[in-house]
Amino acid sequence: MQQKKRSFKIILVYIASITLLLLKQVLLATTPLILNIMIDASVLGKEIKNSYLLTLINMVTKVEKGMHSIIVLSIIILILFILAYLASYISDILNALATENITKSLRDKVHSNIQRFTYEHYVKQQTGDLIQRCTSNIETIRRTLNHFVVHGIGIIFSIVYIFVVMMNQSVKFSLLSSVTVPIILASCIFFFIYMKKLNEKAYKKEAFMTSVAQENLSGVRVVKAFAMQNYEKQKFENASSEYKKMILKANFVDSLFWAVIDAVTFAQIMFVTIYGSYLAYLGELTVGQVVAFSQYVVMLIFPVRHLARIISNVSRLSVSIKRIREVLNAPKEDLEKDFSMGTLPQNNAENCNSNLAGKPLVFDGVSFAYANNEQQVLHNVSFKAVAGQMIGVIGKTGSGKTSLIYLLENLYSPSNGSIKIGGVDISEIDLPTLRAHTAVVWQEPFLYSKTIKENIRIGRPDATDEDVLEASKRAALHKDVMEFEKGYDTLVGENGITLSGGQKQRLAIARALLKDAYIIVFDDSLSSVDTATDAQIREAISTIKDDKIVIVISHRLSSVKNADKILVLEKGHVIQEGNHEELINIAGTYKTIYEEQNAI
């Protein structure tokens, strides 16, 4: 309902803006007629045909030869100009108001849709390309809306109105004066088709260049560590050069086209002036009419040129709309209510706990393969976890450990089998509830460019400072934080660039512990901490698991040996299952890893 009201208000604003712009066009189109009367009657003293305009002017002053009529008519023309441009000024303000409201709404909608992409779809996109769709593509739509919705209608009205006025003065001369109009419009149609192709290529080049820059800035540590500055510099310069070539080509075609159009326009104006003077010499037109026609041809041709520019911009608009539609129509996660990390209502956790907390998690015959990949990464995986249990998962790189988390968070769906919590398939649980119950500490955690305290609070923004402090201590982070000059108010920089790898992981662990979710997953997130810190964090994990399910994925046996149940994965298969004592006493992969790591 609110959306409909907002749309209705925007339509009313556009109607008011268009009305004022049409009023401006009528007022400006009237001034050459008054100039015609002034020259023929007030300057040359000729008798002129009666008209509605002459009748209106005679109500103000009698039109006759002399300075009095010239001054009064000049004042009337001045007043019309003032009123016309005042109407134009208000029209532009209303136009901008409506356009910016639409642009903001569209920008917000595009960003919201990107947030709701399915993970499977999102990982196929380039970050730079998505940024471009939220920025430059939206800006193209904004510019076109700003010029086309109001000014386009005003220009079309102006062309038709002026042509009718000219026809009323002289049919023959009107047709000759407007002979280039269809030529210009026809040229623009072909120009539109060609420019559309160029703009599509230019957008792709720009998106690639943006992605290169974004990737370089995000990986600045790796770039510096491997002394790759020159390589990255050359890579960006090559992408920038390709984009420059495409833009220059588009600008060359654009400049050539408009140079030809300008030449045609100038030739038309010269023709009207010369041929009109000849007709005045023959007596077929008055001097005032020639002057009026000279103004009208300018008022006719230049709006046509402007309309042609708007039409040519439609090529950019069509490309942008196509790219925006791809975002709006992309596969999205089915969320029953709006949910984003850091904006979870305070009572949401309570509602979730009444639904899922304390209930068993069951993987039943789960198999999974990524799209366009015939080889399965998980094969018939089955296990059960209940509240108070710690599940350890160990295996080589590529064994499918992280895929378990993707499936648990419903980022992907199993090819076969099911994942249930309390007997309910997670595909039937609304995503905000499922993810409010789950906290994942990824191997490579993402941090916002905020303070340490704000980053820890991301999953639970209503947490007190004492809660933050306690979570930090459990994650063995507090001591490091207190060594910073500003403590918990220290800005971590973009993606935590000012922190070490171990500090970033411990901050992410503190964030997960503070969220107090029912299922907590550690995805090899202890790999960047020393042995002593690892032991301290494992101790903290053991104290919180009483009413929770804790899943620890690791390459280190020390991180999983205290687990109630350990799964050994190899090429997507669970090849061993049991606790530490059971597994080291039987021949197999677990015992081999144990002996290798103990030997080290």
Side-chain angles (χ1 to χ4, degrees), residues 441 475 505-514 522 525-526 537:
V441 184
Q505 282 195 329
R506 280 177 281 158
L507 193 155
I509 292 169
R511 183 164 62 191
L513 296 177
L514 181 66
F522 297 87
S525 48
L526 303 178
I537 295 173

Side-chain angles (χ1 to χ4, degrees), residues 167-326:
M167 291 286 285
N168 191 47
Q169 297 291 310
S170 172
V171 175
K172 175 184 175 181
F173 198 43
S174 296
L175 294 174
L176 290 171
S177 299
S178 57
V179 70
T180 58
V181 171
I183 297 174
I184 292 174
L185 289 177
S187 300
C188 287
I189 293 173
F190 292 106
F191 181 67
F192 161 77
I193 294 172
Y194 184 70
M195 285 300 292
K196 180 179 179 180
K197 295 178 182 178
L198 283 183
N199 282 313
E200 284 179 340
K201 293 179 181 178
Y203 274 130
K204 289 179 181 178
K205 296 291 185 184
E206 182 188 9
F208 178 71
M209 180 185 70
T210 306
S211 295
V212 170
Q214 186 270 335
E215 187 179 59
N216 172 252
L217 295 174
S218 298
V220 64
R221 276 182 170 175
V222 176
V223 172
K224 290 183 177 298
F226 287 89
M228 294 173 63
Q229 288 92 335
N230 289 333
Y231 170 80
E232 290 294 334
K233 174 176 171 289
Q234 189 61 48
K235 184 179 176 182
F236 180 80
E237 287 179 355
N238 290 340
S240 178
S241 178
E242 289 297 315
Y243 177 56
K244 181 196 75 171
K245 289 177 183 177
M246 190 54 62
I247 288 296
L248 284 178
K249 184 177 180 180
N251 287 340
F252 173 78
V253 174
D254 188 73
S255 300
L256 179 62
F257 177 78
W258 291 112
V260 173
I261 293 296
D262 286 343
V264 173
T265 301
F266 180 74
Q268 181 67 31
I269 295 171
M270 290 298 297
F271 170 77
V272 170
T273 303
I274 295 170
Y275 188 65
S277 299
Y278 174 69
L279 292 179
Y281 173 75
L282 295 177
E284 294 183 22
L285 292 176
T286 67
V287 175
Q289 286 179 315
V290 174
V291 173
F293 265 96
S294 297
Q295 289 198 341
Y296 276 133
V297 74
V298 174
M299 295 173 71
L300 181 66
I301 294 295
F302 278 92
V304 169
R305 293 172 71 256
H306 195 178
L307 181 62
R309 284 189 178 274
I310 290 176
I311 292 173
S312 68
N313 280 331
V314 172
S315 64
R316 297 186 181 93
L317 175 67
S318 62
V319 174
S320 294
I321 289 177
K322 178 183 175 184
R323 288 166 61 78
I324 295 303
R325 274 181 180 165
E326 289 174 356

